[in-house]
Amino acid sequence: MSSGKHVLTAVAWPYASGPRHIGHVAGFGVPSDVFARYQRMAGNRVLMVSGTDEHGTPILVAADQAGRTPRETADHFNRVIAEDLRDLGLSYDLFTRTTTRNHYAIVQEIFLGLLRNGYVFPKTAMGAISPSTGRTLPDRYIEGTCPICGYDGARGDQCDQCGNQLDPIDLINPRSKVNGEVPKFVETEHYFLDLPAFAESLAGWLRTRTSWRPNVVKFSLNLLDDLRPRAITRDLDWGVPVPLPGWQDRSDKRIYVWFDAVIGYLSASIEWARRSGDPEAWRAWWQSETAEAHYFMGKDNIVFHSEIWPGMLLGYSGRGDRGGEPGRLGALNLPSDVVSSEFLTMEARKFSASRGVGILVRDFLERYDADALRYYLSAAGPETQDTDFTWSEFLRRNNDELVAGWGNLVNRSISMAAKNVGYIPAAGALTDADAALLATAKAAFGTVGEQLGRSRFKAAITDVMRVVAEANKYLSDTAPWKLKDTDPERMATVLHVALQVVDDCKSLLTPFLPASAQRIHELLGGTGTWSGMPELRAASEEGGPDYSVLTGEYRTEARWESVPLPVGRPLQPPTPVFAKLDRSIVDRELARLEGGE
RNA sequence: GGCGGAGUAGCUCAGGCGGUAGAGCAAGCGGCUCAUAAUCGCUGUGUCGCCGGUUCGAGUCCGGCCUCCGCUACCA
């Protein structure tokens, strides 16, 4: 079953302006990890990359507020976020950051490649500047009186009252939301990405994307009707320098953060290859015709992954509407799938760090297990529509499904076998019921695997839980505890079947619940690493400061198939794998939510 | 305002190339006692957001409307 395909798993880069809440990891973190772990078990060569996105105005604002430098702010939140993702068990081959020398070099190379092929051009335009800092003031950071309806709280880009799109220069009494000063409108030269020059090549490509979620394709095709050049530089001192004479050494011109962030997928792949000892290894994921690239993100990020990044890749590769030559790195593959999640709300409200609505990943993991969250997000996450996280639903999913369904099956099966036999018993002649249950579990690798390959996570985990329910029913029907004295051979057969199905379900659930799968692997007498876990490791590069990255060894014996349990392997009486939660946590967490406002 | 998505049992959600709807949980009854009072069986539940149209028949197609979410290119 091992096809050995190269599967790039590209995960959206969390922005390092603050700690992340569970809505963020619901959208891209957990789904991408389930996908990657499944692909590895299925025998494919996975490269899963991401990192923190550390440039841009919001980081500067956060830094100013905290009395820190941008770099200190980025260092701090990079650490916090990386620890969160590690504790969730997300199996990044490399989780790095956008402030590395390597990233700067790759961003500049892409910029120059696009420039050489004529897809990037300079233009002078009016822009708002903060007089005190000299930095670009983004439209949304400017407010004033709407020239159309007279509403006083209008933002520079749009009036919330009348809904009209605005140009900040037209605002009456414009002021900066950051510090209240009056912005200065000046002529400033910037480089633009010529998106209209990709209209045809993007349209041709998007029309072949029949396997994508329909809303993503439709949304993306629709955007093509109104493509405009997009600025890729800013008047800022925090970002990647523009690699051109007269620009390179200026402290007030930087590449705009969105442009550098999407390039992270490529720069992280190259950084990973260098660390692996084979600097060219990344090419197998980016340049082979048979390689796949799956991108995971929230719905607010679709445009960057289905439009802008593909445009940049086409332009660099010389395959935009105006042609050109591939850059120094060579032609680069477009995404083969763009998987977008909807949004998670918290007790019917939008997550909002500023208003204290929600729960941070680290707070969640201090009180509850990572697999409990992963289970909830896999079974009830915002896969195809916005979904609401409630504490009572979390409690219910955990107690009634994870603990009572799956945890209990594991516990009752292994307990009985450990007490009455002490090792994995051999099976005698199989009844129809025995064979049917074994066949159901075996068949699930096909059906569930098919769902996972298409990023249908809810359907996939629901199918596994159906197998779990059938196994619980099988034990009730066959009642092995009654056979101990009357028919021990039959009891041994039933327990053998039950343990085999527990082992199969453990494999089926490994992508979703890696930590508990490891424990169950051990309860069944297995040794060694079944589910590889990420770890934070020190990293360094020539000429730059040390930093740390998330990485790990994920190639284990775990396979996406039913593996016969070795008869005779010793078993110990188990302790519960999942913790049942007390009802009182609902009120306690709701009180915390209220208190946070 | 424009574009896109969503509105289905008490709750969280599936589904739907047109033939009066499903799962899990919650509720009730019964069985079992291996297991974290876990498990197994049986039982009920809905004007499928609103209004109109097409059709023998619409939750499913078409039009309009309401509400929520996202995007709207200088948030990333």
Side-chain angles (χ1 to χ4, degrees):
Chain A
M1 78 178 304
S2 171
S3 55
K5 264 185 315 198
H6 285 80
V7 178
L8 178 72
T9 304
V11 190
W13 291 49
Y15 196 59
S17 61
R20 297 295 105 182
H21 54 64
I22 62 170
H24 291 116
V25 295
F28 53 84
V30 172
S32 60
D33 188 53
V34 172
F35 180 82
R37 286 181 182 275
Y38 160 70
Q39 293 290 353
R40 291 193 192 98
M41 286 177 74
N44 292 322
R45 293 289 314 274
V46 170
L47 178 60
M48 176 168 164
V49 292
S50 188
T52 43
D53 176 6
E54 304 182 359
H55 295 127
T57 306
I59 299 267
L60 292 172
V61 172
D64 286 347
Q65 282 168 356
R68 288 195 279 230
T69 65
R71 176 72 201 200
E72 288 165 350
T73 300
D75 285 349
H76 176 70
F77 289 118
N78 163 264
R79 185 83 192 185
V80 169
I81 292 168
E83 285 175 357
D84 286 349
L85 302 181
R86 174 197 63 192
D87 294 344
L88 269 172
L90 304 183
S91 57
Y92 294 100
D93 291 287
L94 183 69
F95 185 88
T96 178
R97 46 197 304 193
T98 57
T99 46
T100 63
R101 298 279 165 125
N102 170 69
H103 180 71
Y104 278 41
I106 303 299
V107 169
Q108 293 178 332
E109 166 60 20
I110 298 291
F111 178 93
L112 290 173
L114 286 165
L115 185 69
R116 272 195 297 270
N117 283 336
Y119 295 106
V120 158
F121 61 89
K123 191 179 125 188
T124 299
M126 293 298 283
I129 301 272
S130 158
S132 61
T133 62
R135 295 170 186 158
T136 291
L137 203 51
D139 287 359
R140 61 161 33 202
Y141 280 99
I142 302 171
E143 62 181 12
T145 304
C146 174
I148 297 166
C149 72
Y151 174 62
D152 187 41
R155 290 189 323 207
D157 53 347
Q158 181 175 43
C159 174
D160 286 336
Q161 176 118 321
C162 65
N164 283 293
Q165 279 185 62
L166 304 175
D167 193 316
I169 205 162
D170 297 329
L171 280 177
I172 301 161
N173 296 324
R175 56 192 179 271
S176 163
K177 276 169 100 164
V178 179
N179 57 15
E181 66 189 357
V182 178
K184 202 166 67 181
F185 292 93
V186 296
E187 281 210 335
T188 178
E189 187 179 31
H190 284 299
Y191 277 89
F192 287 73
L193 178 64
D194 192 7
L195 282 171
F198 303 112
E200 281 179 35
S201 36
L202 280 176
W205 171 67
L206 281 168
R207 289 202 186 91
T208 65
R209 304 292 95 193
T210 50
S211 63
W212 291 15
R213 291 181 186 168
N215 62 323
V216 177
V217 179
K218 202 169 176 184
F219 179 83
S220 306
L221 282 169
N222 190 46
L223 288 171
L224 292 176
D225 296 338
D226 190 25
L227 288 177
R228 279 181 267 163
R230 188 161 171 143
I232 59 175
T233 53
R234 299 281 76 190
D235 295 297
L236 278 187
D237 54 4
W238 177 240
V240 180
V242 182
L244 293 172
W247 288 65
Q248 175 81 48
D249 298 321
R250 290 180 65 168
S251 64
D252 60 340
K253 292 283 184 188
R254 287 291 182 270
I255 287 179
Y256 191 20
V257 56
W258 68 259
F259 184 86
D260 96 66
V262 288
I263 296 172
Y265 300 121
L266 177 62
S267 68
S269 300
I270 291 170
E271 182 185 344
W272 169 85
R274 193 172 298 157
R275 294 191 185 293
S276 78
D278 176 5
E280 303 301 315
W282 63 274
R283 296 184 186 276
W285 282 273
W286 285 88
Q287 298 182 320
S288 156
E289 274 184 30
T290 55
E292 293 180 12
H294 297 253
Y295 289 72
F296 293 82
M297 75 225 65
K299 63 176 162 182
D300 54 336
N301 255 317
I302 293 176
V303 63
F304 288 97
H305 293 85
S306 68
E307 217 84 34
I308 295 176
W309 176 229
M312 290 163 65
L313 289 165
L314 285 167
Y316 182 80
S317 304
R319 289 169 16 216
D321 299 357
R322 284 204 286 270
E325 294 294 321
R328 184 172 55 80
L329 296 167
L332 302 168
N333 289 349
L334 295 177
S336 37
D337 198 5
V338 173
V339 183
S340 149
S341 292
E342 304 294 303
F343 285 162
L344 193 71
T345 53
M346 182 72 177
E347 301 285 352
R349 290 185 294 183
K350 281 173 82 167
F351 276 87
S352 164
S354 54
R355 282 180 293 123
V357 178
I359 181 166
L360 299 179
V361 172
R362 53 155 46 171
D363 291 340
F364 195 104
L365 294 179
E366 268 172 25
R367 306 200 270 277
Y368 312 103
D369 290 336
D371 278 3
L373 180 58
R374 293 177 62 117
Y375 179 79
Y376 182 96
L377 294 178
S378 300
E383 188 172 306
T384 55
Q385 63 175 271
D386 293 352
T387 58
D388 192 31
F389 178 96
T390 64
W391 284 104
S392 71
E393 179 69 0
F394 170 67
L395 181 98
R396 189 195 71 67
R397 291 265 183 192
N398 183 76
N399 287 0
D400 299 340
E401 297 182 11
L402 192 56
V403 176
W406 171 228
N408 191 236
L409 175 67
V410 171
N411 208 37
R412 72 197 297 209
S413 305
I414 301 178
S415 287
M416 263 189 284
K419 279 182 203 162
N420 297 312
V421 185
Y423 52 86
I424 292 169
L430 296 181
T431 65
D432 287 351
D434 299 342
L437 181 64
L438 288 170
T440 297
K442 209 165 197 164
F445 286 94
T447 56
V448 175
E450 202 266 337
Q451 310 266 38
L452 288 176
R454 293 192 297 139
S455 290
R456 307 250 313 170
F457 304 112
K458 279 186 178 189
I461 199 166
T462 302
D463 281 354
V464 183
M465 292 306 278
R466 244 190 277 281
V467 179
V468 169
E470 264 196 62
N472 270 321
K473 174 172 157 50
Y474 168 84
L475 283 177
S476 292
D477 291 346
T478 54
W481 52 91
K482 287 182 178 169
L483 299 169
K484 188 180 177 185
D485 300 318
T486 57
D487 192 349
E489 272 184 45
R490 175 64 193 148
M491 180 191 72
T493 301
V494 169
L495 290 177
H496 175 92
V497 170
L499 291 178
Q500 181 62 53
V501 171
V502 165
D503 191 61
D504 290 345
C505 288
K506 172 210 74 182
S507 297
L508 291 163
L509 288 168
T510 297
F512 302 97
L513 311 172
S516 52
Q518 175 70 38
R519 279 216 54 207
I520 294 163
H521 171 71
E522 290 161 12
L523 290 177
L524 286 167
T527 54
T529 301
W530 174 263
S531 308
M533 285 298 171
E535 49 189 79
L536 220 39
R537 287 189 200 149
S540 59
E541 58 181 354
E542 217 178 303
D546 291 348
Y547 58 106
S548 48
V549 297
L550 213 50
T551 184
E553 178 50 63
Y554 310 115
R555 269 188 284 177
T556 72
E557 60 178 295
R559 291 291 169 272
W560 193 254
E561 60 192 352
S562 175
V563 180
L565 279 173
V567 169
R569 190 157 76 185
L571 294 170
Q572 303 295 324
T575 53
V577 176
F578 301 102
K580 192 168 174 173
L581 298 171
D582 191 87
R583 269 234 82 88
S584 64
I585 69 137
V586 175
D587 287 340
R588 200 174 321 139
E589 293 293 352
L590 287 175
R592 277 202 180 96
L593 260 187
E594 295 306 317
E597 282 200 288

